[in-house]
Amino acid sequence: MAAKHVLITGGASGIGFGIAQGFAKDGYRVTLSDINKEALDSAVAELGKQFDVDVAGIELDVTNSEQLASAPDRVCAPVDVLVNNAGIQFVSALEQFPEDKWRLIIDILLCGPAMLTKAFLPQMYKQNFGRIINVGSIHSLVASPYKSAYVSAKHGLLGFSKTIALESAEHDVTINTLCPSYVKTPLVENQIAAQAQSHSITEEEVINTIMLKPMPKKAFIALSELAETALFLCSPAAKNITAQAITIDGGWTAH
């Protein structure tokens, strides 16, 4: 039987690449997409060195309607698993938040996953199999100040997933959202540095007194935890798990 095929957006680094490593280790055929061609080429080469599986890459701007609609024709095999991961962050009080940046975050984090899912659903329906995994956040469930666009988009993923779960129920297609607390990626590293500068404290103080303070387990989520959870959602045991927010937060939301 041919290996199943996963497409991961924002796959050149961070959470996307970590999830890709998990799927490649499990024998999946992997296609990475990213807006940064240089980073994409490097990630494809690196993943190919690490694992003996087929690895490909496609440049994809998830704010570009034409690129989203044509994505199924640009990948080299039908997609069994779509991981909507591409993302950015911007932190500001709403009254100083640039409107173009607010709209861009919504476009990348919410419209992109919706339109890419729209592009691949007909193929998944035809083959009567599909697993859609949105990379949400603890901020799909709770809010933090100065992240109005990010929190709005991540909350929106949950409503989107519930709707598509209802629309796709007659097929062997599921859609779920991973909701991790902080994962130590380049995006988070940048946030740590920025907050240290903004609050005139050390990066260690940012980690301990801001980022990990709400989390009883006081630890960053590992990339392998996200990859293994995503793989479970693609397993036969999870065929009736759909429309769910899979929370990996070390007890944050237990409060």
Side-chain angles (χ1 to χ4, degrees), residues 46-106:
E46 179 63 25
L47 199 63
K49 287 179 188 175
Q50 291 179 7
F51 303 98
D52 184 23
V53 295
D54 289 331
V55 182
I58 61 167
E59 273 189 271
L60 183 64
D61 177 354
V62 298
T63 69
N64 185 306
S65 298
E66 291 182 5
Q67 290 187 26
L68 291 169
S70 65
D73 297 325
R74 295 177 59 207
V75 296
C76 52
V79 166
D80 302 291
V81 181
L82 171 63
V83 179
N84 288 308
N85 167 73
I88 61 169
Q89 176 62 284
F90 188 83
V91 178
S92 172
L94 182 61
E95 57 268 31
Q96 281 90 43
F97 214 119
E99 181 179 344
D100 60 343
K101 190 71 73 173
W102 215 97
R103 291 182 182 277
L104 179 63
I105 289 172
I106 299 296

Side-chain angles (χ1 to χ4, degrees), residues 224-236:
S224 59
E225 294 176 66
L226 296 179
E228 291 295 330
T229 304
L231 283 164
F232 168 71
L233 290 172
C234 299
S235 71

Side-chain angles (χ1 to χ4, degrees), residues 4-243:
K4 281 191 162 53
H5 181 201
V6 58
L7 169 64
I8 303 168
T9 67
S13 64
I15 289 174
F17 190 72
I19 290 176
Q21 288 175 306
F23 275 92
K25 183 179 179 181
D26 206 54
Y28 276 71
R29 183 175 190 168
V30 178
T31 296
L32 303 177
S33 82
D34 207 279
I35 195 172
N36 183 329
K37 186 177 189 307
E38 184 177 347
L40 178 63
D41 291 344
S42 176
V44 168
E46 179 63 25
L47 199 63
K49 287 179 188 175
Q50 291 179 7
F51 303 98
D52 184 23
V53 295
D54 289 331
V55 182
I58 61 167
E59 273 189 271
L60 183 64
D61 177 354
V62 298
T63 69
N64 185 306
S65 298
E66 291 182 5
Q67 290 187 26
L68 291 169
S70 65
D73 297 325
R74 295 177 59 207
V75 296
C76 52
V79 166
D80 302 291
V81 181
L82 171 63
V83 179
N84 288 308
N85 167 73
I88 61 169
Q89 176 62 284
F90 188 83
V91 178
S92 172
L94 182 61
E95 57 268 31
Q96 281 90 43
F97 214 119
E99 181 179 344
D100 60 343
K101 190 71 73 173
W102 215 97
R103 291 182 182 277
L104 179 63
I105 289 172
I106 299 296
D107 206 2
I108 292 173
L109 297 184
L110 185 55
C111 299
M115 293 304 101
L116 198 58
T117 299
K118 176 183 177 181
F120 279 101
L121 270 179
Q123 182 186 93
M124 290 179 173
Y125 289 166
K126 184 177 180 181
Q127 65 198 27
N128 196 36
F129 183 86
R131 299 291 179 262
I132 302 158
I133 299 170
N134 300 315
V135 177
S137 164
I138 189 69
H139 288 111
S140 296
L141 303 162
V142 300
S144 291
Y146 312 118
K147 297 181 180 179
S148 57
Y150 187 87
V151 170
S152 297
K154 292 299 189 181
H155 271 63
L157 277 177
L158 300 187
F160 168 69
S161 298
K162 289 177 182 179
T163 303
I164 302 310
L166 295 176
E167 293 182 9
S168 64
E170 66 185 81
H171 304 277
D172 187 9
V173 172
T174 66
I175 178 167
N176 294 287
T177 305
L178 301 180
C179 299
S181 50
Y182 288 106
V183 183
K184 207 153 188 195
T185 63
L187 190 70
V188 169
E189 294 276 14
N190 290 338
Q191 285 185 57
I192 293 169
Q195 291 202 40
Q197 185 175 9
S198 173
H199 297 288
S200 299
I201 58 177
T202 67
E203 292 190 6
E204 186 176 356
E205 286 174 308
V206 171
I207 291 170
N208 293 327
T209 65
I210 298 176
M211 289 192 164
L212 298 184
K213 184 178 180 181
M215 186 178 179
K217 284 190 172 288
K218 306 296 182 192
F220 286 101
I221 305 302
L223 292 172
S224 59
E225 294 176 66
L226 296 179
E228 291 295 330
T229 304
L231 283 164
F232 168 71
L233 290 172
C234 299
S235 71
K239 67 180 181 180
N240 284 311
I241 298 177
T242 192

